[in-house]
Amino acid sequence: MPSPTTEEIIDLVTRRWDVLESLSDRALSKPELEATLGVSRSTVDRAIGELEAASMVVRDPSSGYRLTELGRPVYRLCKRTRRCLDAVTEAHSHGSAVPSGANGELPMYDGARLVSSEPHVPDKPLQHLLDTMREAESLRGYTPVVLQQYVEVCHKHATRREADVELVVPPQVHQCLRTTYPDEYRRARRASCVRLHETSASLPFGLLLFGEGADRTCALVSYSKAGATGVLFNDTASAIGWATQTYRELKADSTPVDQPKATQ
């Protein structure tokens, strides 16, 4: 019998998701599936028959039906995709809270926590972000905008040497820091714990990495003229891996502020 196509598997998983989920952590008999799902025996028979035909479940004489070597990875992959879709749907329901340009970055959505503006708390995303920045012992990231609150937090870290800070910014942000906040800029540049890089590359959202080791988390920040409109926080290994790689690529394409760019 030929193996099912990808389209057939997607259709089958969609229709029989409740059965796959019930069998994800243990084997069950047909009567147990009836009781767990609250459906008739004929419904269970049809579902098991379809899943057996696709080689996704098999009957174990001693314990009941269980997922196969094909069924287990298909279930895990589909469960992750469903989580991502739930997060994307929630993010899109908040409109501008979705970081523009990040919609295809599934690692950031899987397991993410979205903080978005609310009518009665318009600065909620910014306050959550600032709280995380203040508590971080290490801060690395990219910001396409200058916010006074960012300057204040980084200035505090510079003067008290409470955290290691490294930021990559586009030229217009660097220029704004120098001209609008000259005192804070000079003090931060003298602090060994604060490093600034300038890059011609750009992202349509902010990207921040907090902490080290097991305490790391990352954030994608969306902005409008009103400020930060939404933040996706994520501390999963896949999200941190994606954010770290993206930041490294930005930094590799940047120049330390104290180091003049080479002329061609």
Side-chain angles (χ1 to χ4, degrees):
M1 182 177 181
S3 299
T5 65
T6 299
E7 290 75 14
E8 289 171 338
I9 288 179
I10 292 173
D11 175 68
L12 179 59
V13 169
T14 300
R15 290 186 294 104
R16 302 306 184 188
W17 178 254
D18 53 350
V19 176
L20 290 171
E21 193 162 40
S22 297
L23 299 176
S24 62
D25 57 357
R26 66 191 189 283
L28 294 173
S29 65
K30 286 185 176 181
E32 288 173 326
L33 281 169
E34 288 180 60
T36 299
L37 300 175
V39 297
S40 66
R41 179 59 176 268
S42 61
T43 298
V44 170
D45 286 340
R46 285 195 299 272
I48 290 296
E50 292 174 1
L51 291 168
E52 280 186 309
S55 301
M56 294 182 64
V57 302
V58 66
R59 183 175 179 274
D60 187 326
S62 63
S63 57
Y65 292 89
R66 59 176 175 79
L67 299 184
T68 64
E69 294 299 319
L70 171 64
R72 283 193 296 273
V74 166
Y75 167 77
R76 288 194 295 266
L77 178 60
C78 290
K79 184 176 182 179
R80 177 175 181 265
T81 302
R82 287 168 70 98
R83 286 199 307 266
C84 292
L85 288 173
D86 287 343
V88 169
T89 301
E90 180 189 4
H92 273 281
S93 71
H94 293 277
S96 62
V98 182
S100 175
N103 296 343
E105 307 303 343
L106 286 184
M108 280 305 302
Y109 283 103
D110 188 11
R113 176 172 63 92
L114 174 67
V115 179
S116 58
S117 299
E118 298 177 9
H120 59 291
V121 193
D123 63 344
K124 183 177 179 180
L126 180 60
Q127 292 306 317
H128 278 254
L129 192 60
L130 292 174
D131 288 344
T132 306
M133 292 174 67
R134 293 186 186 104
E135 296 171 1
E137 295 182 358
S138 172
L139 169 62
R140 286 165 175 73
Y142 168 88
T143 177
V145 303
V146 177
L147 296 180
Q148 181 179 346
Q149 295 93 330
Y150 287 178
V151 175
E152 291 171 351
V153 171
C154 291
H155 178 252
K156 179 181 176 182
H157 283 319
T159 55
R160 300 185 181 183
R161 300 181 183 275
E162 295 177 333
D164 183 61
V165 179
E166 183 176 80
L167 294 175
V168 177
V169 299
Q172 61 271 27
V173 169
H174 181 208
Q175 180 64 19
C176 180
L177 290 171
R178 294 176 61 184
T179 58
T180 308
Y181 304 96
D183 294 338
E184 293 87 345
Y185 176 84
R186 285 192 295 270
R187 191 169 289 111
R189 294 307 305 132
R190 289 197 296 267
S192 60
C193 63
V194 178
R195 298 177 300 282
L196 192 65
H197 296 250
E198 183 179 308
T199 180
S200 58
S202 64
L203 293 176
F205 48 81
L207 173 65
L208 296 170
L209 288 142
F210 309 98
E212 298 289 349
D215 296 326
R216 289 182 299 171
T217 190
C218 57
L220 258 64
V221 190
S222 61
Y223 298 98
S224 71
K225 292 181 179 179
T229 57
V231 184
L232 280 174
F233 289 100
N234 202 321
D235 60 2
T236 63
S238 58
I240 291 170
W242 173 83
T244 300
Q245 180 61 32
T246 301
Y247 176 70
R248 286 175 177 169
E249 292 172 359
L250 282 169
K251 183 181 175 183
D253 193 39
S254 70
T255 301
V257 166
D258 287 340
Q259 178 182 327
K261 295 182 179 180
T263 57
Q264 299 295 327

